[in-house]
Amino acid sequence: ARSIVDGFVAAGRSMAEDYAVAREFLTPELSQQWRGDTSTLIYEAVNVVNGADTNQYTIQLEIIGAVDAQGVRTVYPDHSTRAVDVVVSKIEDQWRISDAPNGVMLEASTFNKIFSAQTLYFYNATFRYLVPDVRWFPTGSGTATSMVQALLAGPAPYLENAVVSAFSSAGSLVRSAVPVRDGTATIDLSRATFQDATDQQLEATLIPLNNVTNVKMLQNENEITLADQSTTIEPALVNPSTPDTLIGIADKSLVYVKGRSIIPVGGLPEISRYNPREPAMSPIGNRYAFLNGSRKQLWTIGEDGALDLGLEGESLIQPSMDLAGWTWTA
């Protein structure tokens, strides 16, 4: 009976035909219900022990991470453990697993061979930038399908309040597959998906795949050009370039650093008395920030050159300034 449990764990590495090998270790009833694609536990060590009840076994795992059905990866601290309980039953004189949770377990090196990181893209709130959302999917013919399904499901939990999608959360694939033929990925979406849709979000997500050079979108099997949808979304920037000028401090004053040149920043108030350190400057316009020598004060300099005490605290980290005009520290 225990060898059946060992075999079930090992069978998780074969995803062919919807985990057909793993299903051979299950009773016919459980085989119909069990799903292997809902989660993947990534382990470094595994041990199967007798459970609390007869015919029950516990799979003890030392795990380093997990991937959910949408490809969101969670990394666990060193020496984290997880116990997975399974029940076995005899079917026609052969042991089979009659109760087990959904999902599979993969040894770390096997996971790295089967899964790869892929990048989904969502918009920032102003639709000016495409923000990367890294997910993990099995490599193979179904990667494009998994990526589109995850994109339609929305951003990862840690990005939910920071990004938006051009696709309605009510949207879905008409066919549960995204075929790729001759470099063209064909995506058939329901009518509800096209609320504010733009093909740029899908193209940025899929074209980095080795076998995709073009994205064709259908609406209920009819080809559609989103330019006809009267969308107001301008093309967004992906990995925008950054200026080559840095901000620094020399002789207790703010300076620009470009290559090997150091240029004093003109028109600023005298700040040497604060013993400035950890400077920052805005991406657009002329705004600056710095910490005082004890890292207890954050000072800002506005477009008008006015010096203001922005924040007081303990052991403040180097500030940063964003496009929206906010200055950040912690």
Side-chain angles (χ1 to χ4, degrees):
R2 178 171 172 167
S3 64
I4 287 292
V5 180
D6 291 331
F8 173 69
V9 174
R13 73 185 67 177
S14 175
M15 300 180 183
E17 299 181 32
D18 193 17
Y19 297 92
V21 175
R23 292 180 194 279
E24 292 180 7
F25 294 88
L26 310 178
T27 62
E29 182 180 3
L30 182 60
S31 177
Q32 297 294 319
Q33 303 169 356
W34 179 83
R35 289 185 57 188
D37 60 356
T38 59
S39 68
T40 301
L41 293 177
I42 310 162
Y43 67 84
E44 286 191 323
V46 60
N47 185 36
V48 178
V49 299
N50 292 329
D53 299 323
T54 306
N55 295 342
Q56 183 185 45
Y57 290 88
T58 297
I59 306 167
Q60 297 176 333
L61 302 166
E62 184 174 322
I63 60 172
I64 61 172
V67 174
D68 70 11
Q70 304 302 332
V72 177
R73 183 172 180 173
T74 302
V75 177
Y76 290 104
D78 290 343
H79 310 300
S80 294
T81 58
R82 181 74 61 88
V84 179
D85 294 324
V86 298
V87 177
V88 298
S89 302
K90 260 193 175 179
I91 304 292
E92 298 177 356
D93 289 331
Q94 289 189 326
W95 288 104
R96 292 289 184 270
I97 295 173
S98 56
D99 187 21
N102 289 327
V104 296
M105 294 152 271
L106 292 177
E107 195 271 330
S109 62
T110 302
F111 174 84
N112 290 331
K113 293 174 184 175
I114 296 175
F115 281 71
S116 63
Q118 306 290 347
T119 304
L120 311 184
Y121 282 97
F122 295 91
Y123 288 99
N124 76 320
T126 63
F127 289 88
R128 177 165 168 74
Y129 298 97
L130 280 168
V131 180
D133 183 349
V134 176
R135 307 288 183 92
W136 291 80
F137 301 106
T139 55
S141 59
T143 304
T145 302
S146 299
M147 292 174 69
V148 172
Q149 288 173 332
L151 187 74
L152 295 177
Y158 44 79
L159 284 176
E160 277 181 351
N161 295 320
V163 298
V164 293
S165 178
F167 294 98
S168 166
S169 58
S172 62
L173 284 168
V174 172
R175 293 181 295 167
S176 59
V178 176
V180 180
R181 294 189 181 92
D182 298 327
T184 296
T186 302
I187 304 164
D188 194 356
L189 297 162
S190 63
R191 186 176 299 274
T193 312
F194 289 88
Q195 181 177 344
D196 295 306
T198 163
D199 49 4
Q200 189 187 10
Q201 191 177 350
L202 276 170
E203 287 178 351
T205 295
L206 291 180
I207 286 183
L209 289 175
N210 291 335
N211 60 338
V212 177
T213 56
N214 184 46
V215 174
K216 182 167 73 172
M217 301 179 68
L218 309 179
Q219 179 177 298
N220 294 326
E221 300 185 355
N222 297 314
E223 188 165 355
I224 187 168
T225 303
L226 288 174
D228 302 335
Q229 296 289 303
S230 68
T231 177
T232 58
I233 299 173
E234 295 291 327
L237 299 175
V238 181
N239 297 329
S241 60
T242 55
D244 61 355
T245 300
L246 308 177
I247 190 74
I249 292 173
D251 297 328
K252 298 186 179 181
S253 297
L254 293 181
V255 295
Y256 293 129
V257 181
K258 187 170 184 178
R260 296 189 176 187
S261 301
I262 296 178
I263 307 159
V265 180
L268 299 186
E270 170 64 40
I271 62 171
S272 62
R273 65 184 181 277
Y274 299 107
N275 192 19
R277 60 170 63 195
E278 307 287 12
M281 66 178 175
S282 59
I284 296 175
N286 298 302
R287 296 183 301 110
Y288 308 91
F290 62 89
L291 303 180
N292 72 337
S294 64
R295 295 178 179 269
K296 292 184 176 182
Q297 294 179 334
L298 168 71
W299 289 87
T300 62
I301 302 174
E303 293 274 0
D304 58 357
L307 181 65
D308 289 302
L309 177 59
L311 180 72
E312 291 190 276
E314 294 287 337
S315 303
L316 299 175
I317 67 168
Q318 182 172 17
S320 61
M321 309 181 81
D322 67 20
L323 287 160
W326 289 80
T327 301
W328 300 84
T329 186

